[in-house]
């Protein structure tokens, strides 16, 4: 482990899907898997405000082929799931609770295949504060804040189709990620081209706010 964390852009603002939605994998991907993670909500000041759960949908065949394909592997329609809620830190829920969390994962396919595991945050080598400090500071700012996936120690490896080929998604897989303090995030898998297109970006959000405010007068 070097001094620099491997930090990259996962998804554009407002592009993540939530609880109950379909996640997307590229139809051309033959080796992919979910990644159960805890996600931090960070203010523009760099202060860590709270946390939620996330699924960093991983196209292992793309990422393994070339580092230059990271963007294509990570930023696709439905490639980022977050939820079921953001829980803000207070006297009963702190960053220390996150550091001690054990994220549970289970998957059930329409073909009868199931697999499960866990992501123990104690096993992750970098502290959340260190990761946040490497994302935002004098060299790089986020005026609207950001959400940060903290990584996972779990990757499903059980053979699904043939011996030695490991795990990969099929259409209709139910993916469940849960942790105490943060609830449960459930999604279903599909290909990126067969799930609802992402249309609600910054422009649509701005227009929505303007229309909502105009109705007050």
């Amino acid at each position: 482990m070097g001094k620099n964390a491997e930090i990259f852009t996962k998804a554009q603002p407002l592009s993540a899907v939530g609880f109950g939605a379909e996640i997307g994998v590229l139809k051309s991907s033959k080796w992919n898997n979910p990644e159960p993670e805890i996600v931090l909500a960070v203010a523009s000041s760099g202060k860590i405000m709270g946390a939620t759960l996330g699924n960093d949908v991983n196209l292992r065949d793309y990422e393994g082929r070339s580092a230059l394909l990271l963007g294509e592997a990570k930023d696709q329609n439905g490639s980022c799931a977050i939820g079921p809620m953001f829980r803000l830190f207070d006297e009963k829920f702190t960053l220390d609770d996150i550091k001690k969390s054990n994220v549970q994962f289970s998957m059930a396919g329409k073909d009868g295949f199931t697999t499960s595991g866990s992501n123990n945050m104690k096993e992750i080598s970098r502290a959340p504060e260190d990761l946040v400090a490497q994302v935002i500071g004098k060299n790089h700012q986020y005026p609207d804040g950001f959400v940060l996936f903290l990584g996972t120690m779990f990757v499903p490896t059980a053979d699904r189709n043939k011996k030695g080929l490991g795990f990969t998604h099929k259409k209709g897989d139910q993916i469940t990620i849960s942790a105490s303090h943060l609830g449960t995030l459930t999604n279903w898998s599909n290909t990126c081209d067969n799930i609802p297109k992402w249309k609600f970006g910054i422009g649509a959000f701005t227009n929505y706010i303007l229309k909502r405010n105009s109705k007050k007068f």
Side-chain angles (χ1 to χ4, degrees):
M1 183 184 71
K3 67 176 182 178
N4 300 114
E6 295 179 341
I7 296 172
F8 47 85
T9 300
K10 169 63 186 173
Q12 300 177 62
L14 301 177
S15 68
V17 298
F19 177 92
E22 289 180 306
I23 58 169
V25 298
L26 288 179
K27 184 177 291 185
S28 56
S29 174
K30 305 304 180 184
W31 187 25
N32 48 73
N33 60 261
E35 290 191 340
E37 301 187 33
I38 286 182
V39 183
L40 297 181
V42 185
S44 59
S45 64
K47 181 179 179 180
I48 304 173
M49 305 299 295
T52 188
L53 297 170
N55 183 356
D56 178 10
V57 184
N58 186 337
L59 306 187
R60 301 185 75 179
D61 46 0
Y62 275 73
E63 292 185 41
R65 207 156 68 234
S66 170
L68 296 177
L69 293 175
L70 188 62
E72 188 167 358
K74 292 294 186 184
D75 190 5
Q76 296 290 348
N77 191 24
S79 66
C80 180
I82 295 175
M85 61 176 181
F86 281 99
R87 183 173 179 182
L88 301 180
F89 292 136
D90 55 25
E91 65 278 2
K92 295 183 180 180
F93 177 59
T94 69
L95 192 58
D96 286 336
D97 292 310
I98 294 301
K99 294 177 180 179
K100 295 182 288 186
S101 290
N102 193 23
V103 182
Q104 300 294 320
F105 162 83
S106 64
M107 196 287 302
K110 290 185 175 180
D111 57 353
F113 178 87
T114 61
T115 187
S116 62
S118 63
N119 173 26
N120 191 337
M121 292 298 297
K122 290 182 179 180
E123 297 178 359
I124 293 181
S125 57
R126 296 188 188 272
E129 303 96 320
D130 177 33
L131 289 171
V132 170
Q134 294 201 42
V135 174
I136 191 170
K138 293 182 179 179
N139 296 323
H140 194 197
Q141 296 78 47
Y142 285 85
D144 300 311
F146 58 95
V147 295
L148 177 66
F149 281 67
L150 294 180
T152 185
M153 299 300 294
F154 171 76
V155 176
T157 57
D159 293 332
R160 184 169 194 177
N161 296 318
K162 294 182 180 180
K163 186 176 180 179
L165 294 182
F167 172 87
T168 196
H169 272 305
K170 291 186 177 181
K171 183 178 179 180
D173 287 346
Q174 179 180 324
I175 303 103
T176 302
I177 299 170
S178 61
S180 60
H181 307 296
L182 293 174
T184 299
L185 172 64
T186 302
N187 299 98
W188 283 262
S189 64
N190 204 337
T191 54
C192 296
D193 58 320
N194 280 324
I195 65 175
K197 293 181 179 180
W198 173 45
K199 297 180 178 179
F200 195 85
I202 296 297
F205 177 73
T206 301
N207 289 334
Y208 168 77
I209 294 298
L210 291 172
K211 289 179 180 178
R212 187 186 68 175
N213 288 344
S214 67
K215 294 178 180 179
K216 294 181 180 180
F217 302 98

